[in-house]
Amino acid sequence: MTPIKTAAAAALALCTLAAASLFPASTAVAASYPDRPVKIVVGFPPGGGNDVLARLLAERLQTQMGQPFVVENRPGANGFIAFDAVKRAKPDGYTLLIGPSSGMTVNPAVYKKLPYDPTADFAPVSMIGGFPLLIVVNPSTPYHKLPDLMQAARAKPGSIDYGSAATSFQLATEMFAQQAHLRFNHIPYKGSAQAVQAVLANQVPMTFGDSAAVIPQIRAGKLRPLAVTTGKRIASLPQVPTVAQAGGPDYQMLLWSGLFAPAGTPAPIVAALQQGVQQALHDPKMQASLGKLGIEPIGSSAAELAATIKSQIAQYTKVARQANISIQ
């Protein structure tokens, strides 16, 4: 063999060895994943829609994948604490994030600066479920139907307080107010459970609450629903009209939550998690549990979730600018 051929053969062998040392290692890691407990971080307190969804998903993934999936609540700063923790975590699939549409698509539209980039700092796994919102009030208020609330708000602009659990709920309320030519007074809370509790305690008369947080209280007679923000009535509360059916504007708003990993997580691990989410959402018990809470199971691909984030950031940025909603 000539020296040139010998050198070429040696180079080829070296490249082959290098490739073998990289790709099979990634494949082997994915094949053994998970081999220890996995943490799912939620940026809000227990009791809200994202927390409930995370716990239902964790239970199914633990059964399917053979390792504990543990939910860790890290509330505060409108979810930023949780986002930052997962952003900085090792990208090995053992620290995951329940990323709500509020953090992934609404915050980029209303905050001038964010401590994270939803498209660069995270690897989308799958959109888990969609949350319709319900306009609910304390039963002691004189608002028995949506027009009652609208008339009172129109008579005294800015006199009616509302609680919001996150920026997305604020944007949803302000979008409604803009379309109905109303003005409310915003009172922020750390999570859905706190915002709902404030209405239960009559600290504020109303909130736009996610279905998982308010439906149990509606069924217990502790909250009065005025309307649902989806385009059609939801199966779990068929007696509650849409905003348009209740006499309001042709208004719709559906929030969602997805599963995310830190950017740089190996693609085979992301694929394994995506498959796990989709399998969980096909489980009849999981579907029944979500249905009781008014949550629509979705189970998108990673690519579909990434595309949704991109399109909704553009949509909500336009809405926020028109509504003059901007946060430092």
Side-chain angles (χ1 to χ4, degrees), residues 67-324:
Q67 289 290 339
F69 278 71
V70 181
V71 175
E72 179 180 298
N73 297 91
R74 302 197 63 174
N78 207 22
F80 291 176
I81 294 173
F83 275 69
D84 188 63
V86 177
K87 166 188 168 181
R88 297 175 183 275
K90 186 177 180 180
D92 57 5
Y94 290 93
T95 302
L96 307 175
L97 174 72
I98 292 293
S101 52
S102 59
M104 289 295 175
T105 63
V106 176
N107 284 352
V110 300
Y111 278 87
K112 291 186 176 180
K113 290 185 179 180
L114 282 177
Y116 63 91
D117 184 332
T119 60
D121 292 336
F122 304 97
V125 175
S126 179
M127 187 183 294
I128 307 167
F131 296 81
L133 301 181
L134 286 123
I135 306 174
V136 295
V137 298
N138 186 289
S140 67
T141 67
Y143 316 130
H144 293 271
K145 295 183 178 180
L146 187 59
D148 299 333
L149 175 67
M150 294 171 62
Q151 288 170 12
R154 192 166 287 120
K156 294 183 178 180
S159 64
I160 297 177
D161 294 338
Y162 73 91
S164 85
T167 312
S168 55
F169 297 88
Q170 180 187 4
L171 183 63
T173 309
E174 296 300 336
M175 283 175 58
F176 167 76
Q178 181 185 17
Q179 292 183 22
H181 306 291
L182 306 173
R183 183 159 58 87
F184 298 108
N185 185 45
H186 175 227
I187 307 296
Y189 291 91
K190 286 186 177 181
S192 294
Q194 284 77 4
V196 171
Q197 185 58 44
V199 180
L200 292 172
N202 215 12
Q203 296 170 353
V204 293
M206 64 170 285
T207 188
F208 279 52
D210 65 73
S211 55
V214 301
I215 284 179
Q217 303 296 343
I218 291 172
R219 288 179 173 154
K222 297 180 180 180
L223 289 176
R224 177 185 296 148
L226 302 183
V228 63
T229 65
T230 46
K232 59 181 181 180
R233 300 189 186 209
I234 57 176
S236 52
L237 289 174
Q239 76 279 15
V240 179
T242 67
V243 171
Q245 291 171 344
D250 187 15
Y251 163 90
Q252 295 181 35
M253 183 72 163
L254 180 71
L255 304 182
W256 52 262
S257 285
L259 188 66
F260 295 83
T265 299
I269 291 179
V270 172
L273 286 166
Q274 177 187 310
Q275 183 179 5
V277 171
Q278 292 173 336
Q279 184 179 342
L281 294 175
H282 278 94
D283 181 84
K285 291 183 179 179
M286 179 76 164
Q287 291 180 349
S289 297
L290 295 178
K292 290 178 182 178
L293 299 170
I295 300 174
E296 176 189 353
I298 298 175
S300 73
S301 69
E304 289 168 338
L305 178 53
T308 297
I309 292 169
K310 184 177 179 180
S311 65
Q312 288 192 352
I313 287 175
Q315 175 191 359
Y316 292 148
T317 297
K318 182 177 180 180
V319 171
R321 286 174 180 170
Q322 291 177 345
N324 197 28

